[in-house]
């Protein structure tokens, strides 16, 4: 396993739309393993392949504090949403920035796991937010897109200043 470099906003590659995975081969499972290692080391609770410059529909999530619920989402689809909840979000591609975003409160999603088995799961709270945030990444969307243009400009400036 290896840790991968995470793209930092406003890198254009974060705007690419990821392709569905059509074959869960050794390359894909190695990517999943590397993504978990990268996410846990960061540390973070979710990581989309887009953020490590691999444009395939692969997400890893673990919202627990003791690494007890690692979730692999390959080709994830949000099947239904319910309610609305406002909460602070951060992103490993926008380090140090936390802003309030409105998301669906509850969702049902479907995905393939690391072995290619389809599963469906209901989620609320932090997990629901995290799945919506990561699926957005696969479509080239980031949480700052939900903020005002003024806030987004300020964040962009801050990120560019920290660039080497
Ligand atoms: Ni993110």
């Amino acid at each position: 396993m290896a840790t991968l470099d995470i793209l930092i906003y406003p890198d254009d590659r974060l705007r690419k739309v990821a392709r569905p995975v059509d074959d869960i081969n050794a390359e894909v499972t190695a990517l999943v393993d590397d993504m978990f290692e990268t996410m846990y080391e960061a540390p973070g609770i979710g990581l989309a392949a887009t953020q490590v410059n691999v444009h395939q529909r692969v997400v890893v999530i673990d919202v627990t504090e003791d690494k007890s619920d690692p979730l692999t989402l390959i080709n994830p689809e949000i099947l239904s949403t319910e309610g609305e909840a406002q909460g602070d979000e951060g992103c490993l591609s926008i380090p140090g920035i936390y802003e309030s975003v409105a998301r669906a409160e509850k969702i049902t999603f479907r995905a393939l796991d690391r072995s290619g088995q389809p599963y469906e799961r209901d989620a609320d709270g932090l997990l629901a937010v995290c799945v919506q945030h990561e699926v957005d990444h696969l479509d080239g969307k980031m949480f700052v897109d939900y903020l005002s243009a003024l806030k987004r400009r300020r964040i962009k400036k801050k990120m560019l200043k920290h660039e080497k």
Side-chain angles (χ1 to χ4, degrees), residues 51 91 133 137:
Q51 293 176 273
C91 180
H133 176 119
H137 273 302

Side-chain angles (χ1 to χ4, degrees), residues 4-151:
L4 307 165
D5 288 335
I6 297 174
L7 300 177
I8 300 299
Y9 179 80
D11 194 307
D12 284 344
R13 293 169 290 180
L14 288 164
R15 296 305 186 180
K16 286 193 185 177
V17 177
R19 291 181 312 272
V21 174
D22 44 34
D23 178 27
I24 300 180
N25 52 28
E27 203 178 313
V28 173
T29 54
L31 170 68
V32 167
D33 295 343
D34 287 347
M35 284 173 62
F36 270 115
E37 193 179 344
T38 305
M39 177 187 79
Y40 285 133
E41 198 192 83
I45 58 171
L47 185 68
T50 306
Q51 293 176 273
V52 293
N53 199 28
V54 176
H55 302 283
Q56 298 188 45
R57 303 189 81 83
V58 177
V59 162
V60 298
I61 289 176
D62 190 344
V63 297
T64 67
E65 275 171 30
D66 57 358
K67 306 184 181 180
S68 59
D69 191 18
L71 282 175
T72 302
L73 292 77
I74 297 173
N75 299 341
E77 274 178 275
I78 294 171
L79 301 174
S80 63
T81 64
E82 201 188 308
E84 194 183 288
Q86 188 90 25
D88 272 3
E89 280 183 40
C91 180
L92 292 176
S93 293
I94 317 177
I97 304 290
Y98 300 89
E99 294 284 348
S100 186
V101 175
R103 298 280 188 185
E105 188 182 13
K106 295 180 181 175
I107 64 165
T108 301
F109 70 92
R110 178 167 65 199
L112 304 176
D113 68 15
R114 190 181 174 282
S115 58
Q117 285 302 309
Y119 66 98
E120 213 175 286
R121 184 159 164 170
D122 297 324
D124 59 13
L126 190 54
L127 179 58
V129 171
C130 194
V131 170
Q132 293 171 82
H133 176 119
E134 301 310 332
V135 170
D136 269 359
H137 273 302
L138 301 180
D139 292 322
K141 269 174 91 176
M142 303 190 74
F143 83 89
V144 291
D145 301 346
Y146 299 99
L147 307 176
S148 69
L150 179 71
K151 264 191 181 165

